[in-house]
Amino acid sequence: TTLLYTIKFEMNSHEKHHLERAPPLTEAEYAETFRALAETRFNSEYDIASGIAGQVIQESGFSSAPINMLSIGAGLGGFETRLVKEKGLKIGQIYAVEPNADHVPSLTSTLQNLGCEFHVDTSYFDPTFRLNATFQDTSFDLVLMSHCLYTFPDPFSAVLHAITFLKPSGVLLIFHQGDSVCSTMFNYLVQRSDPHIFNPRMVVNDHSLTAGKIAEFVRSKRPDLDVFMKVEMAQVDIDEFIRAEGKKEDDIISFFLQADYLKLSGEARERVYGMARGHSEVVKGRYFINHPCCGIVIQNHGNGI
């Protein structure tokens, strides 16, 4: 009887403390899920982000005369192009940091089309990063970090280092997710996972980091700087996932989780589906998630960094 009780207790204990075994997304899977998010039926995040950036451009006078710009995590250069063509940003020189070699050809072509002086640097941006020798004495009116901090081993140090490249009265503009169902889902999966199976440091994008944490950190470390956030709610279409009752693959949900939704246990899928539905609303007959688009604006007072 004692042996049977012990076995039963151990089984119940294991079930109670079940550890999820879904591995984090690979680089290729991340690219696939990100593309799905960007190409979904409706996602207003980048429209809102460009609108926030447009406000900063006008308030800072970056549409009146050509500026020096540093773009960290420039990707394909699409967001920079949009700011030039739609928001009046005038760039005299842009220094683009993009370590992904696959992006470099398209990025180079995009920057050529902007008609300004440019340089593409494939180095990783960390506290040891230095500008190319030709630009070593250059400082920047605008430094942009758009949705790139998720990938950094130490994002807080990266932000502090980015600040050192600003001119007096220069602006560091960071786009990053706010507290949302995205971070809620990610944190849920991390909390129920074996750290050797699913570790935030192993994922391509750490979705536990939110804009509020970044802004709070900079305020604590650099009280001499102006730090404020511009936040507007974006909407992401997840109608097909909700109507299928979570029984089908959905790359957008996998992007939020940074793990393949269909590889989760039935219990976890049910919990994630409940989160998605609970955070959604019906607009014109379709289910949407409200997703805060946050722009963190960090500005020097003009006395040098």
Side-chain angles (χ1 to χ4, degrees):
T1 303
T2 303
L3 178 60
L4 289 174
Y5 176 81
T6 301
I7 293 173
K8 184 176 181 181
F9 175 80
E10 288 179 350
M11 288 177 64
N12 289 340
S13 178
H14 174 72
E15 290 170 0
K16 183 178 180 180
H17 300 288
H18 169 73
L19 297 177
E20 203 58 54
R21 300 292 175 175
L25 296 177
T26 64
E27 291 277 357
E29 289 170 337
Y30 166 75
E32 179 182 344
T33 59
F34 180 79
R35 184 164 52 250
L37 179 66
E39 297 175 357
T40 188
R41 181 185 179 97
F42 184 82
N43 179 3
S44 62
E45 181 164 359
Y46 283 97
D47 289 337
I48 292 174
S50 64
I52 291 174
Q55 296 173 23
V56 173
I57 290 167
Q58 295 304 316
E59 292 167 0
S60 303
F62 294 158
S63 61
S64 58
I67 66 166
N68 282 358
M69 178 178 179
L70 171 62
S71 180
I72 300 168
L76 303 178
F79 192 60
E80 292 81 355
T81 298
R82 187 169 187 173
L83 298 185
V84 170
K85 292 185 175 181
E86 298 179 10
K87 303 302 176 183
L89 176 64
K90 291 186 177 180
I91 303 176
Q93 178 188 84
I94 181 169
Y95 193 104
V97 181
E98 179 48 62
N100 189 330
D102 292 337
H103 289 341
V104 170
S106 294
L107 174 61
T108 300
S109 176
T110 299
L111 297 181
Q112 286 174 336
N113 291 333
L114 290 182
C116 61
E117 183 180 349
F118 71 91
H119 178 78
V120 176
D121 190 328
T122 57
S123 304
Y124 285 95
F125 189 88
D126 61 25
T128 67
F129 174 85
R130 298 293 181 269
L131 298 172
N132 180 281
T134 306
F135 298 86
Q136 62 182 358
D137 295 324
T138 304
S139 55
F140 299 90
D141 303 282
L142 174 63
V143 176
L144 175 67
M145 304 179 85
S146 179
H147 292 287
C148 64
L149 285 172
Y150 313 102
T151 66
F152 285 57
D154 186 352
F156 297 115
S157 292
V159 171
L160 292 180
H161 191 50
I163 290 170
T164 66
F165 293 94
L166 289 175
K167 286 183 177 181
S169 299
V171 175
L172 169 58
L173 177 58
I174 301 171
F175 284 103
H176 199 86
Q177 70 171 17
D179 287 300
S180 67
V181 66
C182 174
S183 54
T184 299
M185 288 178 176
F186 181 87
N187 285 328
Y188 161 71
L189 191 56
V190 170
Q191 289 166 7
R192 63 178 285 129
S193 295
D194 181 331
H196 298 292
I197 301 299
F198 190 91
N199 186 324
R201 291 187 177 277
M202 293 168 57
V203 301
V204 179
N205 275 218
D206 180 0
H207 283 166
S208 65
L209 179 64
T210 58
K213 294 176 183 177
I214 297 169
E216 182 180 354
F217 172 80
V218 177
R219 290 189 186 107
S220 69
K221 296 296 183 180
R222 294 298 305 265
D224 56 311
L225 304 179
D226 292 324
V227 182
F228 56 93
M229 285 176 46
K230 294 176 178 284
V231 183
E232 294 185 34
M233 295 304 295
Q235 291 185 317
V236 180
D237 189 321
I238 59 166
D239 189 74
E240 293 181 7
F241 176 76
I242 295 298
R243 293 191 185 281
E245 298 182 347
K247 294 182 174 67
K248 65 181 285 293
E249 177 70 67
D250 193 288
D251 284 338
I252 294 173
I253 301 302
S254 293
F255 177 81
F256 288 169
L257 294 170
Q258 288 295 289
D260 189 332
Y261 170 79
L262 289 182
K263 292 181 180 178
L264 302 183
S265 67
E267 175 197 348
R269 289 200 302 272
E270 183 177 342
R271 182 72 178 273
V272 167
Y273 175 78
M275 291 180 190
R277 180 153 192 162
H279 284 80
S280 65
E281 65 174 319
V282 179
V283 180
K284 296 182 179 179
R286 296 188 68 84
Y287 286 93
F288 288 86
I289 281 180
N290 289 321
H291 188 66
C293 177
C294 304
I296 307 168
V297 183
I298 301 170
Q299 188 168 23
N300 185 27
H301 292 297
N303 298 320
I305 297 295

